[in-house]
Amino acid sequence: EKGMVTQIKKNGYPDSIYINAAKIFQDIHTEKRTDTVQVRYGDNSESPTMAFTDEHSKRVSYELAFNALKYQDLLEEILLDSKAYPCYSIPDELTSLLVVMLYDLQDRKFQERKIFAEEKLVAEVQEIGNYLYRYMIKLAAALARCRIKYDALSIEYFVPETIWKQEQRASALPICFWINTLKISLEDVTRYLEMKGFTKVESVSDFDHYTYAVDQHCHDVLVFPSSLREELLNLEIFVDCKLLLQ
């Protein structure tokens, strides 16, 4: 399972993740003034509610949607500059899916994503994916032109300052995990973490990379340095829902 999580992150996501991320993005995207709108997102008020297969797919869907939101202005500029938008064969109701999948495509350095054998394909995702691949060279060139235009070494330059400051603050905070005592005990978690090279310390002030502490007030909560977030989320103990991200 750990390998599967890593593969999904490296090679793209199942179609259901893109669909759910697009629905989330549709609800949270920044609305532009009527006189400045160039990219239209349509009305998805009638779309069905989201169905997440598990906690991991829910987390990844929200993460993908919020990453697209952070870079909405850049992604729209890339679509317009490359002439990939407007496309009259793609209705406005699929624009959110187009933007979400474009973010993921550039995040994979414009490499084609892997289709997993057990994956259930969704026609709209396949349509948008094939469309983006046809424009792949023009999209990559448009991104390069944006970086030159704004003298940006990476796309992180395009994050709005308010969001950048929030992320800086959040990145400095320790992360907390609840122990799912229905599945595992504190003692078993401790043994597992020791096996993985973690050292228990008394408090967050003693953190030194592969360390963790037990919350002083809630003994079924473990606290870790924020720098370990991605590594922790890929551990079997998290994938199996024995540790739950606070």
Side-chain angles (χ1 to χ4, degrees):
E1 284 181 273
K2 179 183 176 184
M4 179 65 174
V5 172
T6 304
Q7 282 184 323
I8 289 175
K9 287 182 70 64
K10 184 177 180 181
N11 297 310
Y13 303 95
D15 285 13
S16 59
I17 297 290
Y18 293 111
I19 286 292
N20 284 335
K23 290 176 182 176
I24 297 166
F25 180 79
Q26 177 68 26
D27 290 336
I28 64 176
H29 74 274
T30 303
E31 294 281 358
K32 307 292 176 65
R33 292 203 333 259
T34 306
D35 58 333
T36 63
V37 168
Q38 292 183 283
V39 177
R40 302 183 183 280
Y41 289 92
D43 178 16
N44 281 351
S45 58
E46 300 298 321
S47 63
T49 56
M50 289 169 287
F52 298 107
T53 56
D54 51 42
E55 189 65 28
H56 173 72
S57 65
K58 180 179 180 180
R59 178 179 64 84
V60 171
S61 297
Y62 274 93
E63 189 176 83
L64 182 56
F66 275 91
N67 278 332
L69 176 65
K70 283 197 300 185
Y71 298 104
Q72 179 180 335
D73 288 344
L74 172 64
L75 296 170
E76 290 179 355
E77 186 168 346
I78 291 172
L79 286 171
L80 294 165
D81 188 298
S82 65
K83 303 296 191 291
Y85 186 92
C87 173
Y88 300 104
S89 65
I90 297 177
D92 290 347
E93 287 70 28
L94 290 182
T95 302
S96 288
L97 182 61
L98 181 68
V99 171
V100 163
M101 292 187 70
L102 173 58
Y103 169 80
D104 179 59
L105 181 61
Q106 68 77 33
D107 193 43
R108 289 183 281 112
K109 311 300 181 188
F110 295 95
Q111 299 296 312
E112 291 194 32
R113 72 184 179 103
K114 178 179 179 180
I115 302 297
F116 297 97
E118 67 275 20
E119 180 180 342
K120 183 178 180 181
L121 302 182
V122 178
E124 291 84 355
V125 174
Q126 296 299 307
E127 177 189 356
I128 297 297
N130 291 333
Y131 179 75
L132 288 172
Y133 293 146
R134 290 202 301 272
Y135 275 86
M136 194 137 52
I137 295 175
K138 292 182 178 180
L139 291 166
L143 173 57
R145 284 192 293 272
C146 285
R147 289 177 57 183
I148 293 170
K149 177 181 176 182
Y150 297 104
D151 193 24
L153 294 176
S154 68
I155 70 164
E156 282 73 22
Y157 171 91
F158 297 95
V159 176
E161 186 177 1
T162 52
I163 295 178
W164 181 82
K165 288 181 177 178
Q166 289 172 357
E167 289 187 336
Q168 289 295 105
R169 287 196 294 269
S171 66
L173 295 174
I175 51 175
C176 299
F177 286 85
W178 289 91
I179 298 172
N180 184 353
T181 53
L182 296 175
K183 290 191 171 187
I184 196 169
S185 66
L186 172 60
E187 292 75 18
D188 287 339
V189 172
T190 299
R191 281 194 289 270
Y192 176 87
L193 291 173
E194 287 177 354
M195 183 181 68
K196 291 294 184 179
F198 287 83
T199 302
K200 180 182 174 182
V201 296
E202 290 302 314
S203 69
V204 295
S205 61
D206 300 318
F207 277 170
D208 182 20
H209 201 48
Y210 284 100
T211 51
Y212 72 97
V214 177
D215 189 279
Q216 295 179 358
H217 304 289
C218 300
H219 293 164
D220 55 352
V221 173
L222 302 181
V223 188
F224 296 84
S226 59
S227 59
L228 296 176
R229 180 185 178 91
E230 289 306 314
E231 290 183 60
L232 290 166
L233 295 180
N234 278 318
L235 291 177
E236 293 91 341
I237 199 171
F238 176 80
V239 176
D240 292 339
C241 297
K242 293 175 181 177
L243 282 185
L244 305 174
L245 181 64
Q246 170 63 47

